[in-house]
Amino acid sequence: MTVPVPPDSPSYSRRPGVLRCVVMIVAAAVVSCFCLQRAADSWIPSAAHVFPSFDYGGSPSSDSEEYSLERVLKDASMQDNSVILTTLNEASMGSSKFNGKAFSRCLAVHSHCFALVTEGIDFSREAYFMTPDYLKMMWRRIDFLRSVLEMGYNFLFTDADVMWFRDPFPHFHPDADFQIACDHFRGRSDDIENRPNGGFKFVRSNNRSIEFYRFWYSSHETYPGLHDQDVLNKIKKDSFIREIGLKLRFLDTTYFGGFCEPSEDLYQVCTMHANCCFGLNSKLHDLRIMLEDWKRFLSSPPSLESYGWTVPQNCSLDSLRLDVNNQSPQG
């Protein structure tokens, strides 16, 4: 995930609408800790600050008043009660010496952290894609996000392997209750045949979205063995969604692209997701190349409109299918 540098930074780009970025990559989608970023806060100034070197010792108790969810949400929220959430876990630390220390890692960056416990799962081990532990953690995340809505907070959820290049909020649909990025976008935001990806979504807190999240979570019993994104594809046409009046919209890959379907216009792209990818090494390889592509774009003449991405390289739909059959770890 990339973190924009404020305009007064020396590295701020002269190109209109573009922010230079410093990178913070947390390469995991497994939930054990939620990090919340207040939009008004100063963005993290350097990679050295993101990854400081020190002994992580013990983690503060998530049950304490200081780290209660309600307090964290209140402290991290914007004026309209919106929060930005991402996740990290032990696997995202890149080394076994950080096992059990994801919460401390989050606190090393800023104080808006909440330790989310999934009962009966050993977080000292990496959860493999579509195993029972993986599925349990994914559904725990859906249930957690429902509780955020019930507390009155809108949220922008972003996987840690989503790179941010511009402010995404101007491109959200103002009348939508639930809007989500896509692996494949068919051209219209209301086309139910779009293929959503749960790694990036903006949800407004209201009765409709809360009922939807309850329905989404309960549907994992209807479709056992499927993860949340596949279940969403099953239920997106359900009559219940029409009955509650949920305003569902899909985000255009022009602005919110990914390895499945890259944004073709670097002058408009807001985020790029390392989706359609298996294996931590493959994901990190292509994320680094994507960042280099972005740096070259920023340093190129503004008149050079043909510049584009050179990714994906190691990530592809074919490798995704191969690694699913081999049960490779989720990156």
Side-chain angles (χ1 to χ4, degrees), residues 189-302:
S189 65
D190 60 350
D191 188 343
I192 204 68
E193 298 299 332
N194 287 314
R195 296 289 296 181
N197 185 295
F200 189 90
K201 49 187 173 282
F202 181 57
V203 188
R204 291 186 171 89
S205 173
N206 55 45
N207 290 336
R208 296 182 296 274
S209 62
I210 293 169
E211 284 301 312
F212 170 67
Y213 262 79
R214 289 173 179 168
F215 175 59
W216 190 2
Y217 179 76
S218 67
S219 295
H220 80 280
E221 297 180 354
T222 307
Y223 302 100
L226 297 185
H227 61 68
D228 55 313
Q229 187 169 304
D230 282 346
V231 170
L232 176 60
N233 267 315
K234 296 283 189 182
I235 67 174
K236 64 185 181 182
K237 300 179 183 179
D238 197 281
S239 61
F240 178 79
I241 293 179
R242 295 190 297 274
E243 291 169 7
I244 64 175
L246 183 81
K247 296 177 182 177
L248 171 63
R249 293 291 182 270
F250 299 91
L251 297 172
D252 192 336
T253 50
T254 298
Y255 308 106
F256 305 97
F259 291 163
C260 299
E261 192 169 281
S263 172
E264 296 180 356
D265 190 344
L266 274 70
Y267 284 87
Q268 298 190 72
V269 63
C270 294
T271 64
M272 280 279 285
H273 188 188
N275 51 12
C276 288
C277 192
F278 253 78
L280 182 57
N281 289 335
S282 293
K283 182 165 292 197
L284 289 175
H285 175 272
D286 280 14
L287 280 169
R288 292 186 182 106
I289 292 175
M290 184 162 63
L291 183 60
E292 291 304 313
D293 288 344
W294 181 251
K295 290 178 179 178
R296 283 193 294 271
F297 167 71
L298 292 180
S299 61
S300 65

Side-chain angles (χ1 to χ4, degrees), residues 1-3 5 11-15 18-25 46-47 163-166 266-267 269 272 286-302 304 307-311:
M1 180 173 63
T2 58
V3 185
V5 177
S11 62
Y12 183 68
S13 172
R14 297 296 182 184
R15 288 183 179 229
V18 176
L19 296 178
R20 283 197 180 272
C21 302
V22 292
V23 97
M24 179 177 72
I25 297 177
S46 70
M163 281 195 173
W164 289 43
F165 302 111
R166 292 180 175 89
L266 274 70
Y267 284 87
V269 63
M272 280 279 285
D286 280 14
L287 280 169
R288 292 186 182 106
I289 292 175
M290 184 162 63
L291 183 60
E292 291 304 313
D293 288 344
W294 181 251
K295 290 178 179 178
R296 283 193 294 271
F297 167 71
L298 292 180
S299 61
S300 65
L304 188 61
Y307 193 85
W309 305 110
T310 63
V311 288

Side-chain angles (χ1 to χ4, degrees), residues 141-171:
R141 183 171 79 182
I142 294 296
D143 197 37
F144 173 81
L145 293 174
R146 171 200 53 78
S147 69
V148 172
L149 295 173
E150 288 183 342
M151 296 173 71
Y153 291 92
N154 316 314
F155 65 79
L156 170 53
F157 177 82
T158 174
D159 271 350
D161 59 353
V162 176
M163 281 195 173
W164 289 43
F165 302 111
R166 292 180 175 89
D167 180 2
F169 282 90
H171 297 285

Side-chain angles (χ1 to χ4, degrees), residues 8 19 23 29 33 37 54 67-69 81 83 128 131 165 175 195 201 237 243 260:
D8 57 355
L19 296 178
V23 97
C33 179
Q37 173 67 50
F54 60 89
Y67 298 105
S68 70
L69 176 59
N81 266 20
V83 293
Y128 284 74
T131 61
F165 302 111
D175 62 339
R195 296 289 296 181
K201 49 187 173 282
K237 300 179 183 179
E243 291 169 7
C260 299

